Amino acid sequence: MTNQRDPNGVVDVAFVGRANIDLTVQVPRRASPGRTSFASSLTASPGGKSLNQAIAAARRGGRSCLIANVGDDSWGHQVAAALTGAGVDTRHVTLLPQTTTGAAIIEVTPDGESYITLALSPATELTTDDIRRATDGLDAQAVVVQLDLPPQPVTALLNRRPAPIIIGNLVPHRELDNALLRHLDVLVVNQHEAAAILNTTTDDPLTAAAELRQLGPSTVVVTAGGHGAAYIDSHGAGSVPAPAVSVVDTTGAGDAFLGSLALDLARGIPLPDVVTTAVHVGAQAVRHAGAQAS
């Protein structure tokens, strides 16, 4: 499958990770132990962090591609169609025969909070060979990789450095060598993920960003939901407050943030401006139901 957005395959950002189907229900409250909670009708829509990020970058006018595997089933074809429809280059999206596409089970409560359980499809996890094939000749200004992928493909990608800017997202896989974080130009995590990496309870995103930078990444950005985001690099540090908005669904807000951030970094925009725009993009995302509706 190839999107013809650029016939030469040139992209601003390549996103490396997972794509799946989001199975979402609106619930008045989460069920207590031994009880049943009635929900809205079930919706099934394409999702997955890397897919959401690639679509976010494309919708901001960027050239993005996704490197991921899905099953050659109805869900996998639904994922592929959504990517193509959004203008994402799908030449590195592989539909694997006799394989089930993964799913995320999402409960959204009236306050807009989303509770997500990911049902992985192990057969669709990227391999080292997948990374080598996809990055050979890759022409991208930036690459975003999910650090919670199996350690072998992540290690291969970080050692290859297939783009001038390498951005890591999420808590690294428990078997990933933390020394590899020095290969990251940018690490982007939310407050909860930062606390897990640092094994701390700090609630100050700026402090967390500074401590994470000591692990090796040149630049660190820590998001804080409705409180905005903090950033630090060799030029300085700062915080960006989030605008006040009515929250409908937080699903995918962090992905909208990261898709925007990666695109603007690829375009050479200064970090403070990049983070400011990304915060506003994330704030707009929570005003709509679903991961990509905004």
PDB file of all heavy atoms in Angstrom, residues 220-236:
ATOM      1  N   VAL A 220      14.059  17.145  26.606  1.00  0.00           N
ATOM      2  CA  VAL A 220      12.983  16.391  27.241  1.00  0.00           C
ATOM      3  C   VAL A 220      11.751  17.282  27.322  1.00  0.00           C
ATOM      4  O   VAL A 220      11.839  18.463  27.666  1.00  0.00           O
ATOM      5  CB  VAL A 220      13.363  15.912  28.657  1.00  0.00           C
ATOM      6  CG1 VAL A 220      12.178  15.216  29.321  1.00  0.00           C
ATOM      7  CG2 VAL A 220      14.562  14.966  28.594  1.00  0.00           C
ATOM      8  N   VAL A 221      10.603  16.698  27.000  1.00  0.00           N
ATOM      9  CA  VAL A 221       9.317  17.377  27.131  1.00  0.00           C
ATOM     10  C   VAL A 221       8.416  16.492  27.980  1.00  0.00           C
ATOM     11  O   VAL A 221       8.280  15.298  27.710  1.00  0.00           O
ATOM     12  CB  VAL A 221       8.659  17.629  25.765  1.00  0.00           C
ATOM     13  CG1 VAL A 221       7.301  18.312  25.950  1.00  0.00           C
ATOM     14  CG2 VAL A 221       9.568  18.475  24.874  1.00  0.00           C
ATOM     15  N   VAL A 222       7.835  17.074  29.027  1.00  0.00           N
ATOM     16  CA  VAL A 222       6.918  16.342  29.904  1.00  0.00           C
ATOM     17  C   VAL A 222       5.556  17.018  29.844  1.00  0.00           C
ATOM     18  O   VAL A 222       5.432  18.213  30.144  1.00  0.00           O
ATOM     19  CB  VAL A 222       7.428  16.306  31.357  1.00  0.00           C
ATOM     20  CG1 VAL A 222       6.408  15.610  32.273  1.00  0.00           C
ATOM     21  CG2 VAL A 222       8.768  15.589  31.438  1.00  0.00           C
ATOM     22  N   THR A 223       4.545  16.257  29.439  1.00  0.00           N
ATOM     23  CA  THR A 223       3.193  16.814  29.360  1.00  0.00           C
ATOM     24  C   THR A 223       2.467  16.619  30.678  1.00  0.00           C
ATOM     25  O   THR A 223       2.710  15.659  31.404  1.00  0.00           O
ATOM     26  CB  THR A 223       2.400  16.161  28.217  1.00  0.00           C
ATOM     27  OG1 THR A 223       2.264  14.756  28.476  1.00  0.00           O
ATOM     28  CG2 THR A 223       3.106  16.360  26.888  1.00  0.00           C
ATOM     29  N   ALA A 224       1.553  17.524  30.970  1.00  0.00           N
ATOM     30  CA  ALA A 224       0.847  17.495  32.253  1.00  0.00           C
ATOM     31  C   ALA A 224      -0.649  17.702  32.067  1.00  0.00           C
ATOM     32  O   ALA A 224      -1.295  18.386  32.870  1.00  0.00           O
ATOM     33  CB  ALA A 224       1.435  18.550  33.194  1.00  0.00           C
ATOM     34  N   GLY A 225      -1.210  17.151  31.005  1.00  0.00           N
ATOM     35  CA  GLY A 225      -2.652  17.225  30.795  1.00  0.00           C
ATOM     36  C   GLY A 225      -3.153  18.660  30.754  1.00  0.00           C
ATOM     37  O   GLY A 225      -2.639  19.505  30.011  1.00  0.00           O
ATOM     38  N   GLY A 226      -4.155  18.942  31.582  1.00  0.00           N
ATOM     39  CA  GLY A 226      -4.742  20.269  31.616  1.00  0.00           C
ATOM     40  C   GLY A 226      -3.835  21.356  32.149  1.00  0.00           C
ATOM     41  O   GLY A 226      -4.181  22.547  32.079  1.00  0.00           O
ATOM     42  N   HIS A 227      -2.663  20.976  32.649  1.00  0.00           N
ATOM     43  CA  HIS A 227      -1.699  21.968  33.143  1.00  0.00           C
ATOM     44  C   HIS A 227      -0.646  22.328  32.104  1.00  0.00           C
ATOM     45  O   HIS A 227       0.259  23.114  32.408  1.00  0.00           O
ATOM     46  CB  HIS A 227      -1.027  21.452  34.417  1.00  0.00           C
ATOM     47  CG  HIS A 227      -1.980  21.220  35.552  1.00  0.00           C
ATOM     48  ND1 HIS A 227      -2.606  22.252  36.227  1.00  0.00           N
ATOM     49  CD2 HIS A 227      -2.438  20.076  36.106  1.00  0.00           C
ATOM     50  CE1 HIS A 227      -3.394  21.756  37.168  1.00  0.00           C
ATOM     51  NE2 HIS A 227      -3.315  20.437  37.117  1.00  0.00           N
ATOM     52  N   GLY A 228      -0.738  21.737  30.906  1.00  0.00           N
ATOM     53  CA  GLY A 228       0.194  22.125  29.854  1.00  0.00           C
ATOM     54  C   GLY A 228       1.379  21.189  29.745  1.00  0.00           C
ATOM     55  O   GLY A 228       1.249  19.968  29.835  1.00  0.00           O
ATOM     56  N   ALA A 229       2.569  21.753  29.577  1.00  0.00           N
ATOM     57  CA  ALA A 229       3.772  20.945  29.391  1.00  0.00           C
ATOM     58  C   ALA A 229       5.002  21.735  29.816  1.00  0.00           C
ATOM     59  O   ALA A 229       4.992  22.971  29.852  1.00  0.00           O
ATOM     60  CB  ALA A 229       3.901  20.507  27.933  1.00  0.00           C
ATOM     61  N   ALA A 230       6.065  20.987  30.121  1.00  0.00           N
ATOM     62  CA  ALA A 230       7.355  21.585  30.465  1.00  0.00           C
ATOM     63  C   ALA A 230       8.411  21.025  29.518  1.00  0.00           C
ATOM     64  O   ALA A 230       8.266  19.920  28.987  1.00  0.00           O
ATOM     65  CB  ALA A 230       7.723  21.275  31.908  1.00  0.00           C
ATOM     66  N   TYR A 231       9.471  21.794  29.305  1.00  0.00           N
ATOM     67  CA  TYR A 231      10.527  21.362  28.390  1.00  0.00           C
ATOM     68  C   TYR A 231      11.881  21.836  28.889  1.00  0.00           C
ATOM     69  O   TYR A 231      11.997  22.813  29.651  1.00  0.00           O
ATOM     70  CB  TYR A 231      10.279  21.921  26.982  1.00  0.00           C
ATOM     71  CG  TYR A 231      10.279  23.436  26.925  1.00  0.00           C
ATOM     72  CD1 TYR A 231      11.463  24.148  26.730  1.00  0.00           C
ATOM     73  CD2 TYR A 231       9.098  24.163  27.085  1.00  0.00           C
ATOM     74  CE1 TYR A 231      11.459  25.540  26.693  1.00  0.00           C
ATOM     75  CE2 TYR A 231       9.097  25.539  27.051  1.00  0.00           C
ATOM     76  CZ  TYR A 231      10.277  26.227  26.854  1.00  0.00           C
ATOM     77  OH  TYR A 231      10.279  27.605  26.841  1.00  0.00           O
ATOM     78  N   ILE A 232      12.928  21.142  28.445  1.00  0.00           N
ATOM     79  CA  ILE A 232      14.288  21.546  28.770  1.00  0.00           C
ATOM     80  C   ILE A 232      15.220  21.053  27.673  1.00  0.00           C
ATOM     81  O   ILE A 232      15.056  19.958  27.150  1.00  0.00           O
ATOM     82  CB  ILE A 232      14.732  20.994  30.153  1.00  0.00           C
ATOM     83  CG1 ILE A 232      16.120  21.522  30.529  1.00  0.00           C
ATOM     84  CG2 ILE A 232      14.699  19.465  30.178  1.00  0.00           C
ATOM     85  CD1 ILE A 232      16.509  21.234  31.971  1.00  0.00           C
ATOM     86  N   ASP A 233      16.162  21.901  27.297  1.00  0.00           N
ATOM     87  CA  ASP A 233      17.234  21.507  26.386  1.00  0.00           C
ATOM     88  C   ASP A 233      18.477  22.299  26.739  1.00  0.00           C
ATOM     89  O   ASP A 233      18.531  22.938  27.806  1.00  0.00           O
ATOM     90  CB  ASP A 233      16.836  21.699  24.924  1.00  0.00           C
ATOM     91  CG  ASP A 233      16.594  23.158  24.532  1.00  0.00           C
ATOM     92  OD1 ASP A 233      16.809  24.062  25.381  1.00  0.00           O
ATOM     93  OD2 ASP A 233      16.192  23.404  23.371  1.00  0.00           O
ATOM     94  N   SER A 234      19.482  22.275  25.883  1.00  0.00           N
ATOM     95  CA  SER A 234      20.745  22.951  26.204  1.00  0.00           C
ATOM     96  C   SER A 234      20.608  24.461  26.227  1.00  0.00           C
ATOM     97  O   SER A 234      21.484  25.161  26.759  1.00  0.00           O
ATOM     98  CB  SER A 234      21.818  22.546  25.188  1.00  0.00           C
ATOM     99  OG  SER A 234      21.430  22.918  23.874  1.00  0.00           O
ATOM    100  N   HIS A 235      19.517  25.001  25.676  1.00  0.00           N
ATOM    101  CA  HIS A 235      19.322  26.450  25.620  1.00  0.00           C
ATOM    102  C   HIS A 235      18.501  26.989  26.790  1.00  0.00           C
ATOM    103  O   HIS A 235      18.420  28.204  26.978  1.00  0.00           O
ATOM    104  CB  HIS A 235      18.642  26.835  24.302  1.00  0.00           C
ATOM    105  CG  HIS A 235      19.416  26.412  23.087  1.00  0.00           C
ATOM    106  ND1 HIS A 235      20.628  26.969  22.748  1.00  0.00           N
ATOM    107  CD2 HIS A 235      19.145  25.479  22.143  1.00  0.00           C
ATOM    108  CE1 HIS A 235      21.083  26.406  21.642  1.00  0.00           C
ATOM    109  NE2 HIS A 235      20.202  25.497  21.258  1.00  0.00           N
ATOM    110  N   GLY A 236      17.861  26.098  27.547  1.00  0.00           N
ATOM    111  CA  GLY A 236      17.057  26.575  28.661  1.00  0.00           C
ATOM    112  C   GLY A 236      15.879  25.666  28.933  1.00  0.00           C
ATOM    113  O   GLY A 236      15.754  24.572  28.364  1.00  0.00           O
TER     114      GLY A 236
END
